[in-house]
Amino acid sequence: MILVTGSTGKLGHAILNHLVDRGVPVVASSRSGAGGSRPLDFDRSDGISLVGVDTLVLVSAGEAEDDVVIARHESVIAAAERDGVSHVVYTSLVGEGDHLAFALAHRWTERRLQQSALSWTIMRNGMYAELFGSLLQWSGSQLTSAFGEGALAAVSRDDLAEAAAVVAASPPAHSGQTYELVGPPITAHQVAALAGVVPVDITLEGRRKQLGVAGLKPFQPAMLMSIHTAVRHGFLARTSGDLARLLGREPRDAAAVAAEAIRASEE
């Protein structure tokens, strides 16, 4: 049996749907057990049961400080070892993302899996094209960008979900593999042009001021600013053929996906 964690989130839900479409037996799980999913609360280690699960698709445990995410992942990996899970598919962060403020928990989890007795596959997901589009923010009638001329090897969330489903459906073929799942690099100006908008370039300091009044959680501004900084200075532009090989086709047009996110944010 395959179990997908975080099935009420966008990535987990999409992975679940791709597995269902493939006719693969799969069980959804979520913190609350919503919609008949299997309850799986990573913050309650004494209540985590993975009995009967052969392949666990571990969708990273969400937005939180590093120590919280690490504790959650330790709880679920320890339960996988205890309960006889054969293989873990982990949705990690692209290798180029080591400069990002939320990389540490991903790299800790990769190391934890590699040092475990479990069979594993690490899916190093690139930054979502949808997120890239949403980070081009409206200020009144102006679309602002703090990315400068920097490029991002963005990828659609659905392509990442499909790749995870491909691996989860046939784990022995992917055991011990780490995949870099990114698309061709795109720029903010390319995306904005597809959305029919001419962006106004602002500085990183300007974006920092915008985030400071956005009502975010304490750790979120630093995370978001690290994306802006890394893209602007060329640290997230490297591409790879891993995604196309797993999908058996070229990835979706990330620039078009990001442009759609811009249009949606304007509505």
Side-chain angles (χ1 to χ4, degrees):
M1 179 182 72
I2 299 172
L3 185 142
V4 178
T5 72
S7 62
T8 56
K10 291 181 179 178
L11 180 61
H13 185 69
I15 295 171
L16 184 72
N17 285 344
H18 278 290
L19 286 166
V20 170
D21 289 345
R22 289 172 171 271
V24 178
V26 59
V27 173
S29 74
S30 66
R31 179 189 297 266
S32 64
S37 61
R38 183 167 171 173
L40 201 66
D41 186 347
F42 291 179
D43 289 326
R44 297 185 58 190
S45 59
D46 58 342
I48 296 176
S49 173
L50 297 174
V51 173
V53 175
D54 299 306
T55 298
L56 174 69
V57 180
L58 175 56
V59 177
S60 181
E63 296 181 345
E65 298 284 5
D66 289 335
D67 59 328
V68 175
V69 177
I70 287 171
R72 290 171 177 172
H73 290 181
E74 168 59 29
S75 293
V76 74
I77 293 171
E81 292 174 318
R82 180 195 67 218
D83 294 340
V85 172
S86 297
H87 191 92
V88 176
V89 180
Y90 175 57
T91 63
S92 188
L93 175 68
V94 63
E96 287 277 278
D98 280 346
H99 298 278
L100 297 174
F102 46 95
L104 188 148
H106 286 291
R107 299 296 176 250
W108 181 92
T109 306
E110 291 182 7
R111 185 180 64 185
R112 175 69 172 84
L113 285 170
Q114 290 162 349
Q115 294 176 349
S116 74
L118 299 162
S119 173
W120 50 265
T121 307
I122 293 169
M123 313 294 283
R124 283 187 164 178
N125 289 349
M127 302 301 298
Y128 298 154
E130 296 89 341
L131 175 62
F132 191 40
S134 71
L135 291 178
L136 297 171
Q137 294 183 336
W138 292 98
S139 179
S141 61
Q142 293 182 325
L143 184 72
T144 62
S145 167
F147 292 113
E149 298 300 320
L152 172 66
V155 60
S156 77
R157 183 187 288 107
D158 195 64
D159 276 351
L160 295 173
E162 184 176 343
V166 167
V167 172
S170 184
H174 306 281
S175 180
Q177 297 297 309
T178 298
Y179 295 117
E180 298 285 344
L181 304 176
V182 290
I186 58 177
T187 68
H189 282 262
Q190 290 172 336
V191 171
L194 286 177
V197 184
V198 178
V200 175
D201 289 312
I202 64 173
T203 64
L204 289 169
E205 178 61 23
R207 179 65 82 220
R208 192 173 291 112
K209 289 179 180 177
Q210 289 180 337
L211 293 176
V213 296
L216 300 174
K217 297 176 182 178
F219 58 87
Q220 289 178 320
M223 289 184 174
L224 293 173
M225 282 306 304
S226 71
I227 298 173
H228 287 290
T229 304
V231 172
R232 189 180 184 101
H233 295 294
F235 283 97
L236 291 172
R238 185 180 299 173
T239 192
S240 162
D242 286 353
L243 182 60
R245 284 190 287 271
L246 285 175
L247 297 177
R249 59 169 173 80
E250 289 303 309
R252 292 175 174 82
D253 185 342
V257 174
E260 183 57 36
I262 291 175
R263 287 189 285 264
S265 68
E266 187 180 18
E267 296 173 355

